[in-house]
Every structure is written in C-alpha cells, then in structure tokens.
Amino acid sequence: MSIVVVGSVAFDSLETPSGVRERVLGGAATHFSLAASYFTDVRVVGVVGDDFLPEHEKVMTAKCVDTRGIERAEGKSFHWKGSYLTDLNAADTLATDLNVFATFAPKIPTEFLESQYLFLANIDPVLQLDVRQQMKSAKMVAGDTMNYWIGAHREKLLPVLRELDVLLINDGEARMLSGESNGLRAAEAVLKLGPKSLIVKHGEYGSTAYFSERSFADGVARKPFRAPTLPLEEVVDPTGAGDSFAGGFYGYVASQPALTPEVFRTAMFYGSVMGSFAVEAFGTERMQRTTKAEVDERFLHLREMSHL
Ligand code: AMP
C-alpha cells in the first residue's frame, strides 16, 4: 500500500530555548513523509525552488520516499520562520515567504494515481480539494489544516472537511473551527462539519480521537479514545511534531489490511512515537537517524506505560 501526500516542502528558520537554526529542511509534507516511511511506501507531491539541492532530496530518498512528484520551479522554496520562545507547544509565526508556493498548482503524476491513501497536509484548502478530485480512486483521505485557513478562508475549508475520513488538528484549531471552548463540545461541532473522525492533538499531553456515526458501525468503537505521549527529557524543536504524528498514524493505517477500531488506536500510539523523535533535534535531524528498532522500542514503552 502507498500514501500520496501533498503539502509544503520548505526551509524553516527556527528559534527555540535550545538555540537557533537558519533555513533547515522542513515543511509539512517532508516531516509527514519521513515519519510515514517507517510503515509504508510514500509518494510526495510539492514544489521547490532552485535552493533545494540534491542533499535535501537525499534526506527523503534515503528513506525510500518517492520524490518524483516534487516539482521544481524557478525561484526560492517556501520559507517559514517560527519561534517557540514564549510557548514550546505553540509556534509564533515570524515570517511566511510563499516564494514558489504562491503559484503552485499540484499535479499528481500518473504513476501515483492508483495510491489508495491520500494525505492532504497543511496547504491552501483550494489545492487540497483539487488534489482530492485528481485522486478520485483514493479509498481513504486524511488531512490537516491550520489557524490561518480556519480564520481567513473558512468557506474554502468547509468542502475539504466533508471529504475527510480523518481530520487531524490541535486544540486551538478545534476551538477556532467550532467556536466552542470545551474540548468535547468542540469535537462534536467539528464532526458535524463533515469529517468521519477527528484527532485532536494536545501537544505534550497526547491526543484524543472522536468518531462520527459515519465512522464505525459499532457504538462502543465510536467512544472517544485518548493516546498519551512519551515523556521526554528535552524538547529541542517542536516543529514537525504534528506532521510526524500524522505520518506515524497514517503510515501505520496504510500498512494494515483494514481500518478497524484497534488499528485506529494503535496508529495513534505510533503517531505519538514518531512525534517524540521529531522534537528531539532541529528540523529533520533526529528522524534522519531514527531506526525501525527504536520505533518498535518506543512503541512498547508507550504501551507498557499506559496500560493497566
Ligand atoms: P507542525 O507539524 O505543525 O509543526 O508543522 C511545521 C511545518 O509546517 C514547518 O516545517 C513549516 O515549514 C510548515 N508550515 C508552516 N506554515 C505553513 C503554511 N502556511 N503552509 C504550509 N506549510 C506551513
């Protein structure tokens, strides 16, 4: 099974209590792809500029990520600058330079069209919908969004939400999307907007899944489920934690024969595991050297820590 992911491939400038980095490889699709590559084949669709060098592409191809869907355009790659100096759980965006992203019109390569799993990473919802329409045969669609699209482009986002089997957002985004401050009410209101299921990420405190009546037939299976995160000694750079969670979650789902409640829950644990690696170093540094044995070890550790 393979996943097609569309989203940003970027250079990030980051400041956190652990230090500062300029223009390191990042982007939602990059972090997602690396994390999902531990579980299944991943095909990435995005756009980069002439500052994207063979050494950057190698970060992905070294994990067997198929990069044929990364378009090369004249100009600079998307650049994002974020700071976590006030809150390690929430980035302050200091700059968003769209560059080649400004005119991006994703085109799914013909070889990718038969993929059964589609992930719409954080990107303009108009493009998300367009990609969904190009990938008509995808049997499962999951996606992410961010406060910018929820606040300023809500009407463009709503049709995307109706296409999703799983929406992954954080607490703040769920509150913003629903207008509710209570977590449970916010989740119920978001589900009414159309996604079959919803995962709300609570930063270092884990994540909770909520299910609509269109998800599982069995009412017991539709009860909310909470997955914890691994306690870490140091969070160096939270960038990409959400995308790595999504990659671990969706990669595991795509590696399984069917989406059962058990698979969904196990996938959330793998999401937490992949998020835990992402934050241990700047950019993609930690994920580049993560081994499958480490993934398995952390999964067992998380399971032991959280089961009676
Ligand atoms: P997260 O997993 O939520 O920490 O996502 C971090 C990644 O999102 C960074 O590597 C950024 O390059 C990327 N990013 C930030 N802003 C945007 C945006 N407006 N559109 C697409 N990607 C973005």
Side-chain angles (χ1 to χ4, degrees), residues 8 10 12 26-28 31 78 80 84 96 101 122 146 238-243:
S8 52
D12 292 342
H31 288 294
F78 176 75
W80 176 74
Y84 299 88
T96 301
F101 221 47
N122 178 24
M146 70 183 290
T239 311
D243 304 309

Side-chain angles (χ1 to χ4, degrees), residues 89 200-208 226-232 235 241 245 268-277 279 298 301-303 305-306:
N89 273 313
V200 180
K201 295 164 287 172
H202 316 299
E204 65 184 300
Y205 305 110
S207 58
T208 311
R226 172 152 306 173
T229 50
L230 285 137
L232 297 172
V235 173
F245 177 98
M268 287 173 71
F269 272 54
Y270 277 112
S272 287
V273 166
M274 300 321 288
S276 78
F277 289 115
V279 303
R298 283 203 185 178
H301 181 48
L302 189 60
R303 209 163 82 161
M305 267 182 53
S306 52

Side-chain angles (χ1 to χ4, degrees), residues 7-12 14 25-28 31 78-80 84 91 93 96 98 101 122-124 144 146 148-149 170 173 201 238-244:
S8 52
V9 177
F11 289 107
D12 292 342
L14 308 160
L25 180 63
H31 288 294
F78 176 75
H79 171 243
W80 176 74
Y84 299 88
T93 292
T96 301
L98 292 176
F101 221 47
N122 178 24
I123 194 175
D124 184 334
D144 185 9
M146 70 183 290
Y148 173 70
W149 306 115
N170 64 32
E173 291 158 353
K201 295 164 287 172
T239 311
D243 304 309
S244 303

Side-chain angles (χ1 to χ4, degrees), residues 117-227:
Y117 293 85
L118 173 62
F119 189 78
L120 304 170
N122 178 24
I123 194 175
D124 184 334
V126 170
L127 302 185
Q128 290 181 317
L129 197 59
D130 177 61
V131 167
R132 170 53 176 139
Q133 279 152 4
Q134 290 183 51
M135 296 262 320
K136 284 212 172 63
S137 62
K139 73 167 186 190
M140 194 171 163
V141 188
D144 185 9
T145 189
M146 70 183 290
N147 51 10
Y148 173 70
W149 306 115
I150 298 170
H153 299 275
R154 190 186 169 85
E155 72 298 340
K156 297 199 291 189
L157 183 62
L158 293 176
V160 178
L161 300 182
R162 293 195 280 272
E163 293 290 326
L164 296 181
D165 294 283
V166 191
L167 170 66
L168 295 103
I169 48 179
N170 64 32
D171 281 311
E173 291 158 353
R175 278 198 296 271
M176 202 174 164
L177 191 53
S178 62
E180 296 279 357
S181 55
N182 172 276
L184 192 54
R185 283 206 198 137
E188 282 164 3
V190 171
L191 285 175
K192 285 205 179 96
L193 298 176
K196 279 193 195 157
S197 59
L198 166 70
I199 297 178
V200 180
K201 295 164 287 172
H202 316 299
E204 65 184 300
Y205 305 110
S207 58
T208 311
Y210 302 90
F211 303 94
S212 81
E213 289 186 356
R214 297 189 303 123
S215 57
F216 298 118
D218 166 13
V220 176
R222 291 200 301 267
K223 293 214 159 138
F225 177 74
R226 172 152 306 173

